[in-house]
Amino acid sequence: MTQSVWDATSLPEFSKVDPATVAADLEALLNKNRAEIEAIVAHNVHPTWESLVVPLDEIEDRLGQFWSPISHLNSVKNGPEIREAYNACLPMLSDYATELGQNKALYEAYKALAESDAAAQLSQAQREALTQTIRDFELSGVGLEGDAKKRYGEISSRLSELGSQFGENVLDATRAWSKLITDVNELKGLPDSALAQAKQAAQAKGEDGWLFTLDIPSYLPVLSYADNQALREEMYKAYATRASELSDDGQFDNTPLIQEILALRHEMAQLLGFDDYAELSVATKMAQSGDQVMAFLNDLAEKSKPAAQEDLAALQAFAKDEYGLDELNAWDVGYYAEKLREKKYAISQEALRPYFPINKVLSGLFHTAQTLFAVDIREESDFDSYHPDVKLFTISKNGEDVARFFLDPYAREGKRGGAWMDECRVRRRLDDGRLQLPVAYLVCNFTQPIGDQPALLTHDEVTTLFHEFGHGLHHMLTQVDVASVSGINGVAWDAVELPSQFLENWCWEPEALAHIAGHYETGEPLPKDLLDKMLAAKNFHSGMQMVRQLEFSLFDFRLHREYQDGVTAQAVLDDVRQQVAVIIPPAFHRFQNSFSHIFAGGYAAGYYSYKWAEVLSADAFSKFEEDGIFNTETGALFRDTILANGGSRPAGELFAAFRGREPSVDALLRHSGIAA
């Protein structure tokens, strides 16, 4: 049995992150790395895997282990000190990455290894790592000279700063708005859980009444349930104009940042020989070209829009017939949609909440993973943490530990919105033969526990947890020992959502829900009538949801594909909406100003990946529909093809190995209720 690494360096020590010394420590580490890289290149006249890649992986991992807790804390515990330290480091990291990507001697060493006789003896993972590394050198401007090379470095550094500033503006703008209500009569229609949460938020600030914010667990219940239309409108406007010229006196306005980001990305793409940034983005993805992406999105839009139009027409008719509403405003859509759902299916997210206490959901999630993938999961009690809510779990297989993950489930001040999985440690083979085991961060923004009551999740939050855990399993159940293609590394971006969206399917299966759901007070399973209603309502407004995601995807891709000086993001978004949207938001809406996925995350000209991967995930799940949703052989096949191989083989090959054929869009349209 190979010895694995669970020692003092296997988990980050958050309490040892000292913002005052972070920048100096990073500078020293980067200089050490530079000296070691120079020595490695000088001694590799005839490079081998062991003499070239192994020591470079060690250098890369050392930097990753230094930066991981700092980057993570910046997202989950953002405050002045951490933010200052993080931003002080970004230019150094950007310069270092640019230097590395444009190191011709290093590039030639990798090429020499890839073209050597010894390359034939390398493993599939090692050969794929070499191929991707050489490609990434070329996409990092290794072939640039003189002014072009200098300009590429300037652009990279500036884009890093702009992305960080964009995200900070969204966080600060979200945090800047709140509303205290002291008359409970203004809050009619809100469920008890939302009122209790707002009361708890007010008490935490030393106030009497009910405090509402733009954090999703506070915002969504108001838009969905509050009878007070004026309150819905006020919160909708505040949320829709975050980080724009229309809010906070423009203090956190992201509009100029968007224009600069787009201009710099376009310039970078052209420096590298691409027509536009969209083509540069596709160069590392499963899709073959920008034309293929556009054809895919337009085809889905054409097939989905009629269903979306039917959804909207039914909602408008319901609001008029039942409530005498002649005009359905943007802040009315969620409210009347929830009324229609309750009338049509006699169910709401709030009715389900008591049956999804977080510990029961976690138990059901772990049961699903254990049954499908033959793993065991246990909670750890002794570890360094940055917040009392954070939990740590270990995954084992056949009695041997294989991975760990931190779970940070609840929304709080100083934590960016949304949900995500991120690497903490990557699985790789060390130079002494031992195996470093993978560790993941799983982060959500669920409604916090209220008083002595456990956190009660909506079914939407349950699917979010399964989604992020699917990403985590991709990272943690890898069997690849080469860092750059281990877990999610090296996986084409438009395939990386496959395991996450795939795992969501179990949230809708009665056989799985028997383990996921149980009343928080009695343990009673989800009653059959509620289960039947929930399943019947599964595709409620799925047409509108589909075109909304296509709107985001087309906006992102066209924005980067059709960039021209003087053309604003708003103009592109308006044009896309005319093509695919059935609900046109008010003119004041500034969705793009908080679209962190593409301006502060990794999804630039890649947001379409959600839909692309959804085709793969729906088709993959259809095999379980055929074989049985807890079929252990099919689960083992998914684990051993998709999850175990990480980025060591092209995603299309792995999908075909699992499914036995190329992917088909039919399952997605069927699962969405858009096609029979």
Side-chain angles (χ1 to χ4, degrees):
M1 184 181 295
T2 302
Q3 185 183 359
S4 301
V5 180
W6 274 154
D7 56 23
T9 63
S10 65
L11 291 172
E13 296 183 79
F14 301 103
S15 58
K16 292 191 176 180
V17 174
D18 177 15
T21 62
V22 161
D25 289 347
L26 176 63
E27 185 175 21
L29 178 58
L30 293 180
N31 287 333
K32 179 182 179 183
N33 286 1
R34 289 182 175 102
E36 291 183 12
I37 290 168
E38 188 176 347
I40 289 167
V41 172
H43 289 96
N44 267 285
V45 180
H46 301 291
T48 65
W49 183 267
E50 289 72 21
S51 67
L52 179 67
V53 183
V54 170
L56 288 170
D57 279 354
E58 170 63 31
I59 291 170
E60 179 73 16
D61 193 63
R62 186 170 65 204
L63 176 57
Q65 296 205 26
F66 173 89
W67 183 241
S68 163
I70 300 159
S71 176
H72 184 64
L73 288 172
N74 187 61
S75 294
V76 298
K77 199 176 180 180
N78 191 285
E81 283 191 319
I82 285 290
R83 181 180 289 192
E84 183 180 350
Y86 180 84
N87 286 328
C89 291
L90 284 183
M92 288 190 280
L93 286 167
S94 178
D95 290 348
Y96 175 79
T98 300
E99 283 173 32
L100 208 57
Q102 296 184 348
N103 187 322
K104 279 195 174 179
L106 197 54
Y107 170 64
E108 294 298 341
Y110 270 99
K111 283 185 69 177
L113 174 56
E115 294 165 4
S116 70
D117 294 339
Q121 308 304 314
L122 297 177
S123 68
Q124 166 66 30
Q126 291 170 326
R127 291 196 302 274
E128 180 67 19
L130 286 179
T131 298
Q132 292 192 21
T133 300
I134 291 167
R135 176 203 67 194
D136 291 345
F137 268 113
E138 290 163 358
L139 295 177
S140 297
V142 74
L144 298 178
E145 301 287 351
D147 290 345
K149 181 176 181 178
K150 180 170 179 269
R151 181 60 183 152
Y152 181 95
E154 293 169 349
I155 292 172
S156 295
S157 184
R158 182 62 179 152
L159 283 173
S160 178
E161 294 171 10
L162 289 168
S164 178
Q165 184 63 54
F166 187 99
E168 288 175 5
N169 283 349
V170 174
L171 181 64
D172 290 343
T174 302
R175 193 160 43 188
W177 190 95
S178 64
K179 185 174 182 66
L180 182 70
I181 293 178
T182 54
D183 182 358
V184 74
N185 291 315
E186 294 183 35
L187 302 175
K188 288 178 180 176
L190 278 176
D192 290 343
S193 62
L195 289 171
Q197 182 189 352
K199 173 71 85 174
Q200 185 168 280
Q203 289 170 346
K205 297 285 188 183
E207 302 278 5
D208 290 326
W210 296 264
L211 185 68
F212 294 89
T213 71
L214 298 182
D215 291 320
I216 287 296
S218 180
Y219 171 78
L220 272 186
V222 172
L223 269 290
S224 300
Y225 299 106
D227 296 337
N228 185 340
Q229 189 190 45
L231 176 61
R232 295 201 310 268
E233 180 179 359
E234 183 181 358
M235 285 194 72
Y236 177 90
K237 285 183 174 178
Y239 190 84
T241 57
R242 286 178 305 156
S244 78
E245 79 282 9
L246 301 177
S247 68
D248 312 307
D249 300 322
Q251 181 181 359
F252 306 118
D253 184 13
N254 272 332
T255 307
L257 275 64
I258 290 172
Q259 288 303 113
E260 188 177 356
I261 287 169
L262 292 172
L264 290 175
R265 285 175 178 168
H266 186 72
E267 185 182 353
M268 172 183 276
Q270 296 205 313
L271 277 174
L272 295 174
F274 294 91
D275 290 339
D276 51 69
Y277 191 83
E279 291 300 330
L280 170 57
S281 171
V282 169
T284 58
K285 293 181 171 62
M286 199 173 163
Q288 298 299 304
S289 67
D291 287 344
Q292 186 185 11
V293 173
M294 288 298 297
F296 167 74
L297 293 174
N298 287 328
D299 180 54
L300 263 186
E302 186 178 339
K303 289 173 177 172
S304 305
K305 192 170 182 179
Q309 290 168 327
E310 289 177 14
D311 286 345
L312 180 59
L315 181 62
Q316 289 170 327
F318 168 77
K320 183 173 178 58
D321 295 345
E322 299 283 333
Y323 294 91
L325 196 73
D326 290 322
E327 182 183 2
L328 195 66
N329 292 306
W331 46 89
D332 299 326
V333 172
Y335 177 76
Y336 288 104
E338 199 57 40
K339 295 290 187 192
L340 176 57
R341 189 205 308 262
E342 290 176 16
K343 177 180 173 64
K344 194 171 181 180
Y345 303 105
I347 196 168
S348 70
Q349 288 283 330
E350 287 302 313
L352 294 168
R353 208 188 268 273
Y355 291 93
F356 293 115
I358 191 165
N359 286 342
K360 179 64 176 177
V361 174
L362 282 172
S363 174
L365 171 63
F366 296 165
H367 170 82
T368 301
Q370 287 162 350
T371 306
L372 290 173
F373 307 127
V375 295
D376 293 301
I377 303 170
R378 69 177 188 273
E379 185 172 356
E380 304 291 345
S381 57
D382 185 19
F383 63 99
D384 186 38
S385 183
Y386 54 88
H387 194 278
D389 291 340
V390 176
K391 297 177 180 290
L392 177 69
F393 297 90
T394 297
I395 299 181
S396 60
K397 188 171 183 292
N398 298 326
E400 185 178 356
D401 293 349
V402 296
R404 280 179 172 165
F405 64 95
F406 293 95
L407 175 65
D408 184 350
Y410 307 124
R412 61 177 177 269
E413 192 171 341
K415 184 178 179 183
R416 73 174 167 92
W420 66 92
M421 189 285 295
D422 201 2
E423 287 183 355
C424 173
R425 297 284 183 271
V426 65
R427 175 184 162 117
R428 69 184 188 93
R429 182 73 57 187
L430 305 182
D431 57 5
D432 61 8
R434 293 182 303 156
L435 194 61
Q436 176 173 291
L437 300 179
V439 183
Y441 300 117
L442 268 61
V443 185
C444 300
N445 271 278
F446 300 149
T447 307
Q448 292 183 352
I450 297 167
D452 296 331
Q453 184 177 288
L456 303 178
L457 307 187
T458 65
H459 188 255
D460 285 346
E461 289 177 327
V462 174
T463 58
T464 295
L465 181 61
F466 271 67
H467 179 103
E468 299 309 332
F469 194 64
H471 279 309
L473 290 175
H474 202 185
H475 173 63
M476 294 185 288
L477 296 189
T478 186
Q479 291 298 297
V480 178
D481 298 347
V482 179
S484 63
V485 289
S486 170
I488 60 170
N489 288 315
V491 178
W493 199 265
D494 42 10
V496 83
E497 295 292 335
L498 162 57
S500 53
Q501 292 175 337
F502 164 81
L503 204 63
E504 290 181 33
N505 288 287
W506 273 262
C507 300
W508 296 98
E509 293 295 324
E511 193 179 343
L513 284 163
H515 300 277
I516 298 166
H519 196 280
Y520 77 99
E521 290 177 318
T522 65
E524 172 197 3
L526 192 63
K528 187 175 186 307
D529 65 324
L530 268 184
L531 173 61
D532 291 344
K533 291 169 184 175
M534 187 183 95
L535 296 177
K538 177 185 177 185
N539 289 323
F540 179 67
H541 284 177
S542 61
M544 288 204 297
Q545 289 168 5
M546 177 74 84
V547 297
R548 184 170 177 267
Q549 285 297 306
L550 290 169
E551 174 189 320
F552 299 166
S553 300
L554 280 163
F555 165 63
D556 164 48
F557 206 75
R558 285 186 53 189
L559 192 64
H560 289 94
R561 195 174 196 228
E562 302 169 12
Y563 172 82
Q564 294 179 51
D565 188 27
V567 176
T568 65
Q570 189 66 55
V572 176
L573 184 54
D574 290 343
D575 193 55
V576 168
R577 284 174 173 158
Q578 290 301 319
Q579 176 196 350
V580 300
V582 294
I583 297 174
I584 306 295
F588 63 72
H589 201 288
R590 294 292 184 269
F591 159 73
Q592 65 273 21
N593 285 54
S594 58
F595 197 6
S596 295
H597 272 77
I598 71 167
F599 293 118
Y603 284 86
Y607 195 84
Y608 78 89
S609 300
Y610 281 103
K611 281 299 159 201
W612 187 279
E614 204 172 336
V615 170
L616 303 178
S617 67
D619 200 359
F621 182 68
S622 68
K623 182 166 177 57
F624 285 85
E625 292 178 307
E626 297 162 9
D627 299 347
I629 68 150
F630 279 122
N631 185 296
T632 54
E633 290 183 7
T634 309
L637 181 62
F638 187 86
R639 179 195 67 209
D640 295 341
T641 52
I642 306 295
L643 301 178
N645 281 292
S648 66
R649 288 171 60 192
E653 282 184 22
L654 295 177
F655 181 89
F658 171 71
R659 200 64 184 92
R661 57 167 171 75
E662 296 298 307
S664 164
V665 73
D666 296 347
L668 173 59
L669 295 174
R670 176 169 54 81
H671 287 170
S672 303
I674 291 171

